[in-house]
Amino acid sequence: MEGSSEVNIPPLPSACLDRAGTSSRKVEGKHGTYTGRDIVPMWIAGMDFEAPQPVIEAVVERAKHGIYGYTDAPSGLSDLAVDRLQTIYQSAEPPQRSWLHWIPGLIGGLHYAVRATCDDQAERVAVLTPIYPPFLGSVRSNGATLVQVPLREGGATDSSRQIRFVIDWVLLERELAHPRTRLLHFCNPHNPAGRCWSVEELERVCRMCVANDVSICSDEVWGEMPLSRVAPFTSLLSFLPHTLDGQPAGVEGLRERLMVLISPSKCFNVASLDLALAVVPDDTLRRKYRASGADSAEVTPFGYVAAQAAYGHPDSEAWRQRLISYLQANRDFAFETLTSARGVRATCPEASYLMWIEVPDLGVPAVEFFEQHGVGLTGAVDFGGAANCCRLNFACSRATLKLALDRMLRAMAPSSTL
Amino acid sequence: MEGSSEVNIPPLPSACLDRAGTSSRKVEGKHGTYTGRDIVPMWIAGMDFEAPQPVIEAVVERAKHGIYGYTDAPSGLSDLAVDRLQTIYQSAEPPQRSWLHWIPGLIGGLHYAVRATCDDQAERVAVLTPIYPPFLGSVRSNGATLVQVPLREGGATDSSRQIRFVIDWVLLERELAHPRTRLLHFCNPHNPAGRCWSVEELERVCRMCVANDVSICSDEVWGEMPLSRVAPFTSLLSFLPHTLDGQPAGVEGLRERLMVLISPSKCFNVASLDLALAVVPDDTLRRKYRASGADSAEVTPFGYVAAQAAYGHPDSEAWRQRLISYLQANRDFAFETLTSARGVRATCPEASYLMWIEVPDLGVPAVEFFEQHGVGLTGAVDFGGAANCCRLNFACSRATLKLALDRMLRAMAPSSTL
């Protein structure tokens, strides 16, 4: 634990939905799954906070234009993206504009990577589980063979009640060495494990993939929301071969095999604007990747202008810093509150606003149990996880979070006092 | 010809880009392909007109909301869609809400249909050519076998300079009868042929498909823009089996094989908002169709609210009627102007704002020739058409259209006076 729930609550990054109070402000959509029922929605990976003001202004401005035909990336956006790949993602090779391929969202991006690397059903894709379900779906629905490589617990933690996931190197090596394995479908920072993989872990992953001629698709969408000073985010782009003090550095062979996916979607709460960026340094691999996404929707003009405002405006960056502070405090509050209950363990995520929770056997899957008690979480089974686990989204006001946690504790009280 | 260029020009449906004049109003994007060059863009299938006011207001309102997370279709939209399927599309069976599957645009929808019906490379998809290139791409990039069934010229026309495409029934029958043909990928009204297929043609297509156990995916996106009183748009939904005066009517067996794609994208100029609707009456086929689109982007909240305003607001309908009148007059003007040049023939489209043009041999492909002379058209080769053909988009102000046509005539003048 790096913080404490005792500190004052930081200021909200921006206006926020008030689920705990009497606000009548509503957002339609998937958050509305529980409309008309007294269930606090803490599941889907969107935030209750308004986007940064420059993003809203840009989107409203484009909306007022009135012509909503096909559109291309605005001039200047690619340069902003290249800048970001150098700063936040620390690309070890100067990113070229030619590397960039704008796509309408992350999920399609995962599918295209499978299609770009696998030709038939015998070809295998390795995935570290539990993982965000579209990773699994992208393998299954494109006719490749899915191989789950379960994460294991390990490493030092501040509390026996903290879950910390690490890679099972023996299992991963065995799978990557399989002659038909073509792709490691990788999530960094990892959803739902909440790990910012360390430099050592990442370098080992890269070397293992290269040694076995396996490509890597690295979904780094959560890299914009690091929550830990001791476990910073590191992009796989930083392992591209380069020269350091006259010596070769990075991982030789990674360039030809690397696809990195980024997006402002999660950090700036613009997931529905359908914009992500595939960064593929190698020409041949990028051509295959592009061809694999021929069915994709248009990137919307709103996605483009939102990305421009998110990446390019200093107020958006200030907003992101406030967001990170707010989420750090919410994370610590949620972790301490939940793990005060008997038998409850949880991750203390190093990035993202998603906490993985393990509860004692409650008779029914955890997600059903809490839903019956007024809290809507995400079940673990679709992630390749166990039924006594679930995922909590803490990107909401403290009041909403407290309401949900109170209900969860109260619901578990009988079993925790047994 | 049903009209004449001599009539007065109808009022614009709404504010319009002014490409011919001195307006500095710009739209970024694909229309900007020729930015900085003196080339009038008449190619991409978007319009120069602003969307109807209710659509703009709805999009701006949603933009102001400020939270752009995941979203579902707003309540009420499905009912509006069902209404529309009954009115404009004249569904012979009352459409059920369960038939509807919102997708982020038409192009993906074409791909999903191929995946839903074809399992391997030996399975064949028939396509009537020339056709909108994504039809061809959707077959190729999903690993099925593409079979082009060329349209031929036929039927009565008002002028020897008018191109009128009809189906070559012998070729179509032969291809549908092939034991590995799984899908007819159909466009109705047809882009770029501009045909609203007649009731007789459509019924024959349906019966031929059913007799040969071939599914039909019917892209009906242009059905909202009929331009002809004598050749109205008829949806394949109107051939679903039903009872008429106590007698069975429609095409038995069509229900199990039909996928219809509609969207407000073209008619209301909201293509970049990424929304289309797949209408699949049969449960089994719909399940396959849905599963085939697992990689799709989110439908954007802007797409949903735009569809709601387009389908539900009377001002949008009034705008659509003004649009149709304006396009009819532009079509007639373009047809008469172009075919006044020696050796030039063209379609007189019954729907859409797209005209197919055939010119004498100009030494280079027609699209290159006109681009060199300051008009950006769409080349025919990607449609499965000949190099001396091209496609003109006449959804622009009369001034812009006149500028483009003047340039085309002037460019051809040497050859037409030979």
Side-chain angles (χ1 to χ4, degrees):
Chain A
M1 296 297 302
E2 297 172 55
S4 156
S5 65
E6 302 302 313
V7 298
N8 289 329
I9 302 171
L12 280 164
S14 51
C16 178
L17 295 177
D18 177 15
R19 301 184 188 282
T22 54
S23 160
S24 64
R25 181 139 186 261
K26 283 190 299 186
V27 61
E28 81 252 303
K30 291 179 181 172
H31 273 297
T33 299
Y34 298 116
T35 300
R37 299 164 68 189
D38 182 22
I39 297 176
V40 196
M42 309 293 283
W43 63 290
I44 196 151
M47 301 198 285
D48 282 1
F49 314 121
E50 278 187 359
Q53 202 55 37
V55 171
I56 297 178
E57 283 167 17
V59 171
V60 170
E61 197 53 40
R62 184 60 184 83
K64 287 180 178 168
H65 185 287
I67 295 181
Y68 310 123
Y70 300 110
T71 199
D72 275 344
S75 60
L77 178 56
S78 292
D79 291 338
L80 287 173
V82 164
D83 283 351
R84 205 157 188 93
L85 292 173
Q86 290 190 293
T87 51
I88 291 185
Y89 300 86
Q90 300 271 322
S91 180
E93 182 184 335
Q96 305 299 308
R97 291 175 62 158
S98 64
W99 296 5
L100 312 180
H101 176 45
W102 297 102
I103 55 176
L106 254 299
I107 293 182
L110 298 173
H111 285 251
Y112 313 154
V114 174
R115 289 184 217 148
T117 53
C118 295
D119 288 326
D120 65 51
Q121 293 186 344
E123 299 198 315
R124 298 154 71 98
V125 178
V127 185
L128 303 172
T129 54
I131 201 160
Y132 177 52
F135 279 82
L136 308 175
S138 70
V139 184
R140 292 184 182 124
S141 75
N142 289 293
T145 297
L146 172 68
V147 184
Q148 298 192 29
V149 181
L151 296 168
R152 62 176 185 79
E153 287 198 44
T157 60
D158 293 325
S159 151
S160 63
R161 301 206 152 179
Q162 182 183 341
I163 301 171
R164 186 173 186 275
F165 285 106
V166 296
I167 294 168
D168 187 323
W169 296 107
V170 176
L171 283 185
L172 182 60
E173 170 91 70
R174 188 194 304 159
E175 177 47 36
L176 295 182
H178 189 289
R180 302 307 301 272
T181 301
R182 291 285 171 269
L183 177 69
L184 174 65
H185 229 352
F186 195 60
C187 192
N188 171 41
H190 188 281
N191 169 11
R195 283 293 317 280
C196 286
W197 304 113
S198 70
V199 169
E200 293 70 30
E201 288 169 315
L202 292 171
E203 182 163 351
R204 193 164 172 187
V205 164
C206 291
R207 294 201 184 280
M208 225 178 240
C209 283
V210 170
N212 291 288
D213 192 19
V214 170
S215 296
I216 313 178
C217 174
S218 183
D219 167 5
E220 302 190 349
V221 70
W222 300 101
E224 307 247 344
M225 311 176 75
L227 302 184
S228 166
R229 285 179 297 277
V230 295
F233 162 65
T234 307
S235 167
L236 286 195
L237 289 168
S238 67
F239 296 93
L240 287 173
H242 59 288
T243 306
L244 190 68
D245 300 332
Q247 299 296 316
V251 177
E252 196 61 47
L254 178 62
R255 194 183 196 285
E256 296 81 351
R257 294 173 177 85
L258 182 62
M259 296 159 274
V260 171
L261 304 176
I262 74 169
S263 175
S265 59
K266 293 300 176 191
C267 182
F268 296 97
N269 207 22
V270 293
S272 73
L273 305 188
D274 281 357
L275 173 130
L277 181 59
V279 183
V280 189
D282 182 69
D283 290 343
T284 306
L285 184 56
R286 190 170 60 250
R287 261 195 301 276
K288 284 190 200 165
Y289 189 88
R290 275 178 179 273
S292 302
D295 64 336
S296 68
E298 294 287 313
V299 175
T300 75
F302 303 107
Y304 284 132
V305 300
Q308 203 164 22
Y311 291 167
H313 201 291
D315 291 353
S316 298
E317 179 56 21
W319 180 94
R320 186 173 78 101
Q321 296 303 332
R322 289 198 302 278
L323 173 74
I324 288 171
S325 299
Y326 197 84
L327 292 177
Q328 284 169 330
N330 264 6
R331 172 199 61 184
D332 295 345
F333 178 71
F335 180 84
E336 293 189 9
T337 305
L338 282 169
T339 59
S340 71
R342 184 165 148 185
V344 175
R345 304 175 68 236
T347 58
C348 187
E350 295 157 355
S352 88
Y353 46 71
L354 303 165
M355 182 171 287
W356 191 253
I357 302 165
E358 180 191 292
V359 298
D361 183 6
L362 299 165
V364 294
V367 66
E368 287 179 33
F369 176 82
F370 290 116
E371 192 175 295
Q372 287 161 10
H373 291 84
V375 182
L377 301 167
T378 306
V381 174
D382 290 346
F383 289 69
N388 69 321
C389 294
C390 53
R391 194 186 71 171
L392 170 86
N393 173 345
F394 53 83
C396 56
S397 73
R398 178 62 64 90
T400 299
L401 181 60
K402 192 166 180 318
L403 174 68
L405 297 176
D406 285 350
R407 287 184 177 186
M408 290 173 72
L409 290 192
R410 211 175 317 127
M412 289 188 291
S415 65
S416 66
T417 56
L418 279 179
Chain B
M1 295 296 303
E2 297 172 55
S4 154
S5 66
E6 302 303 313
V7 299
N8 289 328
I9 301 171
L12 281 165
S14 52
C16 179
L17 295 177
D18 177 14
R19 300 185 188 283
T22 55
S23 160
S24 63
R25 182 140 186 260
K26 284 190 298 186
V27 61
E28 270 183 322
K30 290 179 181 173
H31 273 297
T33 299
Y34 298 117
T35 300
R37 299 166 67 190
D38 182 22
I39 296 176
V40 196
M42 308 295 281
W43 62 289
I44 196 150
M47 302 198 284
D48 282 2
F49 314 122
E50 279 188 359
Q53 204 54 39
V55 171
I56 297 177
E57 283 167 17
V59 171
V60 170
E61 197 53 38
R62 184 60 184 83
K64 287 180 178 168
H65 185 286
I67 295 182
Y68 309 123
Y70 300 111
T71 198
D72 275 345
S75 60
L77 178 56
S78 292
D79 292 338
L80 287 172
V82 164
D83 283 351
R84 205 157 188 93
L85 292 173
Q86 290 190 292
T87 52
I88 291 185
Y89 300 86
Q90 299 271 321
S91 180
E93 182 184 336
Q96 305 300 306
R97 290 175 62 160
S98 64
W99 296 5
L100 313 180
H101 176 44
W102 298 102
I103 55 177
L106 254 299
I107 293 182
L110 298 173
H111 285 251
Y112 313 154
V114 174
R115 289 184 216 149
T117 53
C118 296
D119 288 327
D120 64 52
Q121 292 186 343
E123 299 198 316
R124 297 155 70 99
V125 179
V127 185
L128 302 173
T129 53
I131 201 160
Y132 177 52
F135 278 82
L136 308 175
S138 71
V139 184
R140 293 184 180 122
S141 75
N142 290 292
T145 297
L146 172 69
V147 184
Q148 299 192 30
V149 181
L151 296 168
R152 61 177 186 80
E153 286 197 44
T157 60
D158 293 326
S159 151
S160 64
R161 301 208 153 178
Q162 182 182 341
I163 302 172
R164 186 173 186 275
F165 286 106
V166 295
I167 295 169
D168 186 324
W169 296 107
V170 176
L171 283 186
L172 182 60
E173 170 91 69
R174 187 194 304 159
E175 177 47 37
L176 295 182
H178 189 289
R180 303 305 301 275
T181 301
R182 291 285 170 269
L183 176 68
L184 175 64
H185 228 352
F186 194 60
C187 192
N188 171 41
H190 188 282
N191 168 10
R195 282 293 317 279
C196 287
W197 304 113
S198 71
V199 169
E200 294 69 31
E201 287 170 314
L202 293 171
E203 183 164 349
R204 192 165 172 186
V205 164
C206 291
R207 293 201 186 280
M208 224 178 242
C209 283
V210 169
N212 291 289
D213 193 19
V214 171
S215 296
I216 312 177
C217 174
S218 183
D219 168 4
E220 303 191 348
V221 70
W222 299 101
E224 307 248 343
M225 311 176 77
L227 301 185
S228 166
R229 285 178 296 277
V230 295
F233 163 64
T234 307
S235 167
L236 285 195
L237 289 168
S238 67
F239 297 93
L240 287 172
H242 59 288
T243 305
L244 190 67
D245 299 334
Q247 299 295 316
V251 178
E252 196 63 47
L254 178 62
R255 193 182 197 283
E256 296 79 352
R257 295 174 177 85
L258 183 61
M259 296 159 275
V260 170
L261 304 178
I262 74 169
S263 175
S265 59
K266 293 298 175 194
C267 182
F268 296 97
N269 207 22
V270 293
S272 73
L273 305 188
D274 280 356
L275 173 129
L277 180 59
V279 184
V280 189
D282 182 69
D283 291 343
T284 306
L285 184 56
R286 191 171 58 250
R287 259 195 300 276
K288 283 189 201 165
Y289 189 89
R290 275 177 180 274
S292 302
D295 63 335
S296 67
E298 294 287 314
V299 176
T300 74
F302 302 107
Y304 284 131
V305 300
Q308 203 164 24
Y311 291 167
H313 201 291
D315 290 353
S316 299
E317 180 56 21
W319 179 93
R320 186 173 79 100
Q321 296 303 333
R322 288 199 303 278
L323 173 72
I324 287 171
S325 300
Y326 197 85
L327 292 178
Q328 283 169 331
N330 264 6
R331 173 200 60 184
D332 294 345
F333 177 71
F335 180 84
E336 294 190 10
T337 305
L338 282 169
T339 58
S340 71
R342 182 164 150 187
V344 175
R345 303 174 69 236
T347 58
C348 188
E350 296 157 355
S352 89
Y353 45 70
L354 302 166
M355 182 171 288
W356 191 253
I357 302 165
E358 181 190 292
V359 297
D361 183 6
L362 299 166
V364 293
V367 67
E368 286 179 34
F369 176 82
F370 290 115
E371 193 176 294
Q372 287 161 10
H373 290 84
V375 182
L377 301 167
T378 307
V381 174
D382 290 345
F383 289 69
N388 68 322
C389 295
C390 52
R391 195 186 71 171
L392 170 86
N393 173 347
F394 54 83
C396 56
S397 73
R398 178 62 63 91
T400 300
L401 181 60
K402 192 165 181 318
L403 174 68
L405 297 176
D406 285 350
R407 288 185 177 185
M408 290 173 72
L409 290 192
R410 211 175 317 127
M412 289 188 292
S415 63
S416 66
T417 56
L418 281 180

